[in-house]
Amino acid sequence: MIIDGVFSGGGIKGFAMVGALQVLEDRGFVLNQTAGTSAGSIVAAFIAAGYSGKDIQSMLSTVNMNHLLDKRNFLKIPFAEWLLLYWKLGLYKGEALEHWVSEMLSKKGLVTFGDMPPQSLRIITSDITNGRLVVLPDDLPKYGINPQSFPIAKAVRMSCSIPYFFEPVKLKINKVDTLFVDGGVLSNFPMWLFESEHIRKARPVIGLKFTSDTDLNRVGTIDNAIEMFGALFKTMKDAHDSRHISKKLAKNIMFIPMKDVSGTDFMLTEQRKEELIERGREFAYTFLKTWTY
């Protein structure tokens, strides 16, 4: 069956999506169009490039995840990390991540969105300079940028720029710096992209979404300022998506619980990576037992 796929953000939790993808492929599903946010944009881009779930697992197993954290090293003074946050707005540059994604895509002959069929890949990022949710490559003309010449890896990096963790991506628009950060700030699960009637009638869409607990609607107990900040951020990420997902599409969402995993834990052991992949497989099997289109 030919389907479309949506992949949520979640940082390092993305390993679980790879396991779920492998199960879908084993059951004969072929993904036609993909969309994703943050870590989901990486998986979506690799699928659109023609990589299989097993290919992606192999690629992730050979890359040193710690090498993707490219911290600036010119500051050798106390409190350097706080200065980086203040001046650069992030602890890590994000250039290493972009380079790795670019290298993997180039092996399939892909550099820009012009190298892909139209609408085969869409990536969510957040324009914090103008306060906009941005769909790449669709919204690039609004910034005076030709989508055909825009690098796919750059779009992935924009979507993965977790606030304060990775530096925002800076683009010069009309001689003014415009900052883009993680798409999850405004839409962590862009299943609403497939609400269009003609797409839904042509083929089903399956979304992979991480959850933090068994109660999918409850943020949790809020007892202090830090917990309130976390609740505010979660509300920003989820409220837009929940409001714009119809009941028809909601039944096509594969929920993968991730209560005990931090999205920024790049120091995962190989055993832990395999455990996450296996968790994705497990919940994909459970989902497909009852899923009908």
Side-chain angles (χ1 to χ4, degrees):
M1 178 183 286
I2 298 177
I3 63 173
D4 294 326
V6 180
F7 301 88
S8 77
I12 213 69
K13 303 173 190 177
F15 278 95
M17 286 190 287
V18 177
L21 172 63
Q22 292 172 356
V23 171
L24 290 173
E25 292 173 342
D26 290 343
R27 293 295 182 90
F29 291 95
V30 177
L31 279 87
N32 183 61
Q33 294 182 350
T34 61
T37 297
S38 197
S41 73
I42 299 176
V43 177
F46 287 163
I47 293 171
Y51 284 110
S52 69
K54 291 182 179 179
D55 292 334
I56 298 174
Q57 181 178 358
S58 177
M59 290 152 57
L60 290 173
S61 66
T62 56
V63 66
N64 186 330
M65 303 301 293
N66 195 41
H67 289 172
L68 300 182
L69 303 181
D70 47 357
K71 183 179 294 188
R72 296 184 182 276
N73 55 15
F74 60 86
L75 290 173
K76 301 295 184 181
I77 58 177
F79 309 111
E81 289 191 349
W82 294 107
L83 290 173
L84 283 173
L85 281 175
Y86 186 81
W87 293 109
K88 296 297 182 179
L89 307 179
L91 293 174
Y92 305 99
K93 293 183 286 185
E95 293 174 359
L97 173 63
E98 181 180 347
H99 176 76
W100 176 68
V101 173
S102 177
E103 185 179 20
M104 295 301 102
L105 293 177
S106 66
K107 291 181 179 181
K108 293 289 188 178
L110 302 176
V111 178
T112 70
F113 282 102
D115 299 324
M116 286 184 162
Q119 298 295 299
S120 60
L121 171 67
R122 281 173 288 178
I123 291 171
I124 302 297
T125 187
S126 303
D127 172 357
I128 57 174
T129 299
N130 298 293
R132 296 175 181 167
L133 184 155
V134 179
V135 180
L136 301 174
D138 301 21
D139 292 335
L140 286 171
K142 298 177 182 178
Y143 295 89
I145 298 173
N146 181 2
Q148 299 294 304
S149 61
F150 196 80
I152 303 166
K154 176 73 71 178
V156 170
R157 177 185 169 192
M158 291 163 71
S159 185
C160 291
S161 293
I162 303 170
Y164 304 116
F165 192 78
F166 286 115
E167 295 176 13
V169 174
K170 187 182 299 183
L171 298 182
K172 188 76 72 175
I173 309 295
N174 295 324
K175 299 181 179 181
V176 177
D177 288 335
T178 302
L179 302 183
F180 296 85
V181 300
D182 195 314
V185 171
L186 296 177
S187 179
N188 203 44
F189 184 56
M191 199 149 178
W192 47 269
L193 284 170
F194 293 89
E195 285 283 353
S196 171
E197 193 68 27
H198 72 277
I199 290 180
R200 283 191 288 144
K201 285 184 177 180
R203 55 186 172 270
V205 54
I206 290 180
L208 280 65
K209 187 178 190 301
F210 297 120
T211 61
S212 58
D213 48 47
T214 54
D215 183 350
L216 302 179
N217 298 312
R218 182 174 173 80
V219 172
T221 303
I222 303 172
D223 295 321
N224 55 57
I226 294 176
E227 290 177 352
M228 188 177 78
F229 178 81
L232 287 170
F233 193 71
K234 185 181 190 311
T235 300
M236 285 190 298
K237 291 194 302 178
D238 298 343
H240 173 276
D241 299 330
S242 298
R243 182 178 177 86
H244 290 88
I245 295 175
S246 68
K247 290 182 179 180
K248 181 176 177 63
L249 286 185
K251 69 181 182 65
N252 297 340
I253 300 174
M254 182 190 305
F255 294 103
I256 306 176
M258 284 287 169
K259 187 175 182 179
D260 57 341
V261 183
S262 169
T264 56
D265 185 8
F266 279 71
M267 303 302 290
L268 288 178
T269 63
E270 291 303 314
Q271 178 181 348
R272 189 64 172 133
K273 293 176 185 177
E274 181 56 42
E275 288 174 356
L276 291 177
I277 291 173
E278 188 57 39
R279 184 180 301 191
R281 294 187 185 120
E282 174 189 349
F283 283 93
Y285 283 126
T286 301
F287 171 81
L288 291 175
K289 284 181 181 178
T290 58
W291 181 77
T292 57
Y293 176 68

